[in-house]
Amino acid sequence: MSMAFLISLGGFLLLGAIGMPIAIAAFAASIGYMFISGQDVGLVAEQALNGLFNSYVLLAVPLFILAANFMNAGTISDRLLTFCIAIVGRFRGGLAHVNVLASVIFSGMSGSAIADAAGIGRVIIDLMTRNNRYPGGYAAALTAASSVIGPIIPPSIPMILYALISGSSIGYLFLAGIVPGLFLALVLMILNVVIARKRDFKRDDVVPLREIPRVTMRAFPALMLPVILLYGIYGGITTPTEAAAIAAVYALILAALFYRSVSWKDFYLLVLDGAKSTSVVGLIIASALVLNYLVASENLPALVADELAATNMSPLVFMLVINVIILVLGCLFDATTLLLIVVPLFLPTAELLGIDLVYFGVVITINIMIGLITPPYGILLFVLNGVTGIPLRDIIREIWVFVAALIGALIVLVLIPDMVLWLPRLFGYTG
């Protein structure tokens, strides 16, 4: 690595450590690199704009954000939550199971862990803590853990970003996330059963069986959104970006016309909120793309690949080592930074060792999502603390058992690649 890159890297880490937003720190470090290396500073803007405007797939990000906003508006989330309560609320620890099932269903709409936690997660926490049914820390910790499922089951904004840097098929990445996402949900539900029995959580109110068809019909139009989305992509009818546009329009029609829960004022506020979220994500992506340019200029991916290849490391050992590295970094950096800056360093080595990039992408995405709930800087913990007022120390005290369970599930997926690749191969994937 050149001295210019080392100084810029040190500046980036220092600025991030003192609290400067990651995107601004990345731009500042990139400008510093250009000055020190004697290159045109205008390259920073050029790389950022070219990266954003020349990537058609990135257009799916604001569209999925908008679709999630429309689906979280008005009565749609209430209908879906009522459906989840009717299905699994009858078991011991029922509302905790509802928490997980709701994350599975809403993951087919938002593609964002933060959106799930701040939206439907807040509603479920209110239900769980009402009348002291569940401790606030436990309810928030479970919500944070179940929100991890959001970006695993399609659609997934992190997987869109991974497809951008790896060249992998978004369609196959989405397919590959379904079984692991359901597996994570099963692990959390089993853990909840054990904890519910151990801590003697009371049974929640049960929806009579005769009410389930009516509740299902009320939620049916909203439940069809993931079906329409996946059918469009895997039926060869739409690209993922076009499917995102259809999802946004369908969600708007449901919210505004079918359920009549969104007024013109609500529409304006939802679009404005979507624009704000998109601008934040877009700024982070743009800055990461510039840093990627610096990394490529230094030829770091090839250097890392050569060094790792020289160790004669087996594919399994490589996967375990990389997952440990990502888990540690996930405690310190946000998901977008890791996906767009750190992960590209290891892609050439993964290809060299014959590791399937779709499998690699899904496993790494799960790993990075676990970082969102890992102290000291797990962003989901701070989000839930902010929207619910539950003390952060209570959430952190309860989160460790869920982190351990999710890491255990991650190890299983690393050891059994077929759990990730079975569904894509069923649809013709040859990797």
Side-chain angles (χ1 to χ4, degrees):
M1 288 185 287
S2 68
M3 184 58 65
F5 185 80
L6 287 174
I7 294 174
S8 299
L9 180 62
F12 170 65
L13 295 175
L14 177 62
L15 292 173
I18 63 176
M20 180 177 285
I22 290 294
I24 306 302
F27 277 126
S30 301
I31 292 172
Y33 176 86
M34 296 301 176
F35 267 121
I36 297 170
S37 62
Q39 298 186 54
D40 183 2
V41 176
L43 280 172
V44 174
E46 180 184 335
Q47 290 298 317
L49 293 175
N50 283 342
L52 290 175
F53 292 149
N54 292 334
S55 180
Y56 175 67
V57 70
L58 283 180
L59 188 58
V61 174
L63 292 170
F64 279 131
I65 290 174
L66 202 55
N69 281 356
F70 291 145
M71 292 301 289
N72 279 326
T75 63
I76 296 179
S77 57
D78 295 337
R79 292 167 187 262
L80 290 173
L81 187 56
T82 302
F83 170 76
C84 294
I85 293 173
I87 299 300
V88 296
R90 63 190 65 253
F91 306 110
R92 181 181 292 275
L95 282 178
H97 293 312
V98 168
N99 195 320
V100 178
L101 180 60
S103 290
V104 171
I105 292 176
F106 275 85
S107 68
M109 300 170 194
S110 71
S112 167
I114 295 175
D116 286 350
I120 190 67
R122 178 176 54 185
V123 178
I124 297 177
I125 290 174
D126 288 342
L127 286 176
M128 291 181 69
T129 55
R130 191 175 298 165
N131 299 323
N132 294 318
R133 289 178 174 178
Y134 298 82
Y138 179 82
L142 177 60
T143 301
S146 66
S147 296
V148 168
I149 300 170
I152 310 304
I153 296 177
S156 167
I157 292 175
M159 287 187 189
I160 292 172
L161 300 181
Y162 176 80
L164 176 69
I165 61 169
S166 68
S168 302
S169 162
I170 296 180
Y172 286 130
L173 280 168
F174 280 6
L175 270 178
I178 294 176
V179 172
L182 295 176
F183 176 61
L184 294 181
L186 178 63
V187 168
L188 291 177
M189 283 186 163
I190 291 173
L191 178 61
N192 181 64
V193 168
V194 174
I195 294 175
R197 291 185 180 278
K198 183 177 179 180
R199 297 169 67 168
D200 194 29
F201 289 149
K202 297 178 180 178
R203 292 186 181 273
D204 301 301
D205 297 333
V206 176
V207 176
L209 290 175
R210 65 177 180 276
E211 292 291 318
I212 291 181
R214 182 183 64 83
V215 170
T216 303
M217 287 306 299
R218 292 183 73 241
F220 182 77
L223 291 170
M224 285 301 293
L225 177 59
V227 177
I228 293 171
L229 185 70
L230 296 177
Y231 179 76
I233 296 173
Y234 305 121
I237 300 171
T238 65
T239 65
T241 303
E242 291 165 348
I246 291 172
V249 172
Y250 180 78
L252 176 59
I253 291 173
L254 272 188
L257 301 180
F258 193 83
Y259 290 135
R260 297 184 180 277
S261 58
V262 172
S263 64
W264 281 110
K265 182 180 179 180
D266 295 330
F267 173 76
Y268 169 77
L269 294 175
L270 291 170
V271 172
L272 182 63
D273 182 70
K276 290 178 180 178
S277 300
T278 300
S279 64
V280 172
V281 174
L283 191 62
I284 295 173
I285 292 173
S287 65
L289 291 172
V290 176
L291 282 182
N292 253 342
Y293 170 77
L294 306 190
V295 169
S297 299
E298 296 287 325
N299 202 29
L300 285 184
L303 292 174
V304 171
D306 291 342
E307 288 295 324
L308 291 175
T311 64
N312 293 318
M313 190 180 295
S314 70
L316 178 58
V317 172
F318 170 78
M319 287 297 296
L320 293 173
V321 169
I322 296 307
N323 273 283
V324 171
I325 293 173
I326 296 296
L327 276 172
V328 172
L329 293 178
C331 298
L332 305 173
F333 296 101
D334 67 277
T336 303
T337 301
L338 289 176
L339 270 171
L340 296 181
I341 299 175
V342 178
V343 172
L345 294 174
F346 304 115
L347 288 175
T349 309
E351 287 188 283
L352 191 65
L353 294 175
I355 296 172
D356 183 86
L357 291 188
V358 168
Y359 156 73
F360 184 76
V362 171
V363 169
I364 291 299
T365 299
I366 294 172
N367 190 319
I368 291 174
M369 292 305 106
I370 294 174
L372 296 179
I373 66 170
T374 307
Y377 299 115
I379 189 171
L380 285 179
L381 307 183
F382 292 99
V383 168
L384 289 170
N385 165 250
V387 300
T388 65
I390 296 172
L392 193 59
R393 63 179 180 274
D394 293 347
I395 303 176
I396 291 176
R397 187 172 58 247
E398 298 277 9
I399 198 63
W400 293 110
V401 65
F402 296 109
V403 171
L406 291 173
I407 291 176
L410 177 66
I411 293 172
V412 171
L413 293 171
V414 169
L415 297 176
I416 311 176
D418 285 342
M419 288 185 67
V420 178
L421 295 175
W422 171 75
L423 197 55
R425 286 171 177 164
L426 202 63
F427 280 78
Y429 181 62
T430 56

